[in-house]
Amino acid sequence: MGKIFISAGHGGYENGSLDYGAVVSNTTEATEMIRIRDLVVPELRSRGFEVLAVPDDLSNTQTLNWINTRCRPDDVALELHGGAASSPGARGASVFYIANNEERKSHAELLLLALLRRLPQLPSRGARPDTNTGTGSLSFTRQLTCPSLYMEVGYLTNPDDLGLIQNRRRDMSLGIADGTASWSRAVAGSSGDVQSFPTCNISVNGGLYPEKGIIINNNSYVPVDLADQLGIDDAATNPNIRKVRYRGVVYMKAIDLREYNVSVGWDATTRTVTLKTTNTSPVCGLERIMGRGLTSDIQLLMFLKSNNESATEPYKDLPRFYREEAQIEGVDHDIAFCQMCVETSYLRWTGSLRPEDNNFGGIGATDTSTGGVAFADPRIGVRAHIQHLKAYASTEPLVQEVVDPRFQFVRRGVAPLVTQLSGRWDPDPEYGNKILAIVRRLYESTGIL
């Protein structure tokens, strides 16, 4: 039987600040998840499982590295989170798995069913692919070399769910332990000889690669030598690309190559992992802020719906506002819309921004207790966002009257590329890349890429 890794989401330091997760009433997401984790771990150990609790002071990246240095392919890893939403009516438990992995989906359903058996009062939001999250993917489900799942045990912003989390903590922990134990046994029973992995074909930009890849826990790995053909210089040293050594060859996890503008797909009929460099497409210059977007209003609306179904109705006109306002000022509306998705977590408003402020770009956003930049209606909020982008990306004058309160503070034209917003619009050095990752997902979903 493999080991079980249990992580309580949040609690460590991110970008120099302590990450509490969602903060509600007199508690935090980190506090509640640690309390549940601290009941799950001894319960599983009492059943004879080897369980490792991930230290609480680690950042997200450190958590992934901590697990990867200790895990094997027949181990499992679970991270516990609480949901949060601007609407107090949102509630229920869900388990996220890496998209397009049917076995992992069955594992997620197993975990969720076990929890609901112990807590039938808790609504189910289902087993869901990680592409349905606000970020479009989850590092915990994709960057670990052992099977992993991401569980939201309920919404801290819903009084009923919060009551179950705090008052039925023991039952909740027993349900999680039941499901995790079943999941661990299922993985151990299907892993067989961990020294032998099935192979798969590899297609690179439409051509069949002469060497085979391997399948580990339903994830495809390709030889690291492929990085040279794909124009990736630092694949061997990048810690975000998971690698294994198997029969004298170093393989890298195919899905991690998306970080390098590589489209990764899977053909189940021929058992082929397909790799395509997106810089061969007509949108290889997608990082330039000034320009013309390629998507329609309905394509943007459907993309928003696929990432946050509850946002579609209240914000059904937002794609049109972005297209119209961006066209007036010469800004790429696709980039602006995807930046909005990053700032508002696909209009879930999980940070300090508030929906009633219509501040879609996070302009001058501060903690809501001290006030923040607010706009009269959604269109004006979009207009301010577009103007702020133009301030950074161009020296051309505005066409419309300025509504961006921080327009005059920006050194005009200092950041014509999305990546140059990192450290300026947001201190996160990966900020621009996060926006571009969503742009690529948008274009993949619409068939543009």
Side-chain angles (χ1 to χ4, degrees):
M1 196 78 69
K3 298 188 295 295
I4 297 174
F5 294 84
I6 305 288
S7 171
H10 305 285
Y13 281 85
E14 299 289 349
N15 298 319
S17 300
L18 193 60
D19 177 21
Y20 295 104
V23 179
V24 296
S25 302
N26 296 317
T27 190
T28 68
E29 182 181 356
T31 298
E32 298 300 333
M33 295 309 106
I34 289 171
R35 288 171 176 169
I36 293 173
R37 190 275 319 278
D38 287 348
L39 291 176
V40 174
V41 169
E43 176 62 30
L44 284 168
R45 286 173 177 167
S46 71
R47 303 183 191 186
F49 290 93
E50 182 180 357
V51 186
L52 281 75
V54 178
D56 297 321
D57 58 350
L58 302 183
S59 67
N60 180 60
T61 299
Q62 290 171 331
T63 293
L64 299 174
N65 292 337
W66 192 91
I67 296 175
N68 276 328
T69 58
R70 293 164 173 80
C71 72
R72 302 171 308 192
D74 57 344
D75 297 335
V76 298
L78 174 67
E79 186 158 84
L80 303 175
H81 285 265
S86 57
S87 170
R91 63 174 309 207
S94 54
V95 180
F96 291 93
Y97 60 92
I98 183 171
N100 303 315
N101 189 319
E102 289 301 314
E103 183 179 27
R104 199 75 73 251
K105 178 182 179 182
S106 68
H107 294 158
E109 291 170 342
L110 194 68
L111 225 68
L112 193 58
L113 179 61
L115 173 61
L116 299 180
R117 280 176 177 165
R118 294 278 187 173
L119 275 180
Q121 304 90 339
L122 184 65
S124 172
R125 297 176 69 87
R128 305 165 68 188
D130 63 355
T131 49
N132 283 5
T133 60
T135 55
S137 66
L138 294 171
S139 57
F140 197 85
T141 60
R142 292 176 180 251
Q143 295 185 17
L144 293 179
T145 54
C146 65
S148 53
L149 294 172
Y150 179 110
M151 171 180 273
E152 284 188 351
V153 301
Y155 274 69
L156 298 170
T157 48
N158 178 271
D160 294 327
D161 278 10
L162 183 58
L164 292 173
I165 290 170
Q166 294 182 325
N167 302 320
R168 299 287 300 279
R169 188 176 292 121
R170 178 62 180 167
D171 291 328
M172 181 169 283
S173 302
L174 288 173
I176 295 171
D178 293 342
T180 307
S182 298
W183 174 31
S184 177
R185 285 191 289 264
V187 170
S190 62
S191 62
D193 182 3
V194 297
Q195 297 303 314
S196 179
F197 301 115
T199 62
C200 65
N201 299 313
I202 306 171
S203 172
V204 182
N205 289 326
L208 192 64
Y209 190 66
E211 198 171 4
K212 298 282 188 180
I214 58 175
I215 305 295
I216 303 177
N217 293 314
N218 287 308
N219 291 300
S220 55
Y221 285 70
V222 299
V224 75
D225 297 334
L226 254 174
D228 295 330
Q229 291 202 19
L230 295 169
I232 302 173
D233 297 327
D234 64 341
T237 57
N238 187 342
N240 292 324
I241 295 185
R242 304 303 158 189
K243 292 175 281 289
V244 297
R245 182 179 176 88
Y246 177 65
R247 294 182 177 175
V249 177
V250 176
Y251 293 85
M252 55 186 176
K253 195 172 183 179
I255 200 72
D256 290 343
L257 298 178
R258 286 180 172 173
E259 179 181 338
Y260 293 92
N261 297 339
V262 176
S263 174
V264 182
W266 174 255
D267 187 331
T269 304
T270 59
R271 290 183 58 81
T272 302
V273 57
T274 59
L275 308 175
K276 181 181 178 182
T277 49
T278 58
N279 59 7
T280 60
S281 74
V283 291
C284 58
L286 56 83
E287 71 277 8
R288 190 162 292 279
I289 295 170
M290 301 303 294
R292 190 177 184 87
L294 301 174
T295 60
S296 66
D297 298 353
I298 188 64
Q299 286 174 326
L300 289 177
L301 192 64
M302 295 308 295
F303 181 72
L304 179 61
K305 181 178 181 180
S306 69
N307 288 282
N308 181 12
E309 189 168 358
S310 64
T312 307
E313 183 56 34
Y315 295 103
K316 62 180 182 297
D317 293 324
L318 204 62
R320 177 168 59 85
F321 293 160
Y322 266 98
R323 179 181 54 78
E324 292 175 351
E325 295 294 330
Q327 186 174 1
I328 290 171
E329 299 293 351
V331 171
D332 187 319
H333 70 262
D334 294 334
I335 287 176
F337 190 85
C338 291
Q339 185 184 23
M340 176 277 296
C341 293
V342 172
E343 288 289 336
T344 67
S345 188
Y346 293 93
L347 298 170
R348 289 184 174 85
W349 307 99
T350 56
S352 61
L353 297 175
R354 303 181 303 178
E356 60 266 29
D357 291 337
N358 298 306
N359 188 352
F360 302 106
I363 300 171
T366 61
D367 185 86
T368 54
S369 63
T370 60
V373 178
F375 301 98
D377 57 59
R379 182 181 281 276
I380 297 301
V382 171
R383 184 175 301 170
H385 181 191
I386 295 299
Q387 291 180 350
H388 206 57
L389 269 175
K390 187 172 182 177
Y392 275 106
S394 172
T395 57
E396 293 294 319
L398 290 177
V399 176
Q400 301 193 91
E401 182 181 353
V402 62
V403 296
D404 169 22
R406 298 192 60 80
F407 185 86
Q408 69 272 25
F409 300 122
V410 177
R411 180 185 170 191
R412 298 297 309 280
V414 71
L417 305 180
V418 175
T419 50
Q420 293 170 330
L421 296 177
S422 301
R424 292 186 169 95
W425 198 295
D426 190 282
D428 183 357
E430 293 299 314
Y431 181 72
N433 288 329
K434 289 178 180 178
I435 296 172
L436 287 176
I438 295 180
V439 174
R440 285 191 288 272
R441 286 186 49 239
L442 169 65
Y443 286 167
E444 287 176 359
S445 70
T446 55
I448 295 174
L449 279 183

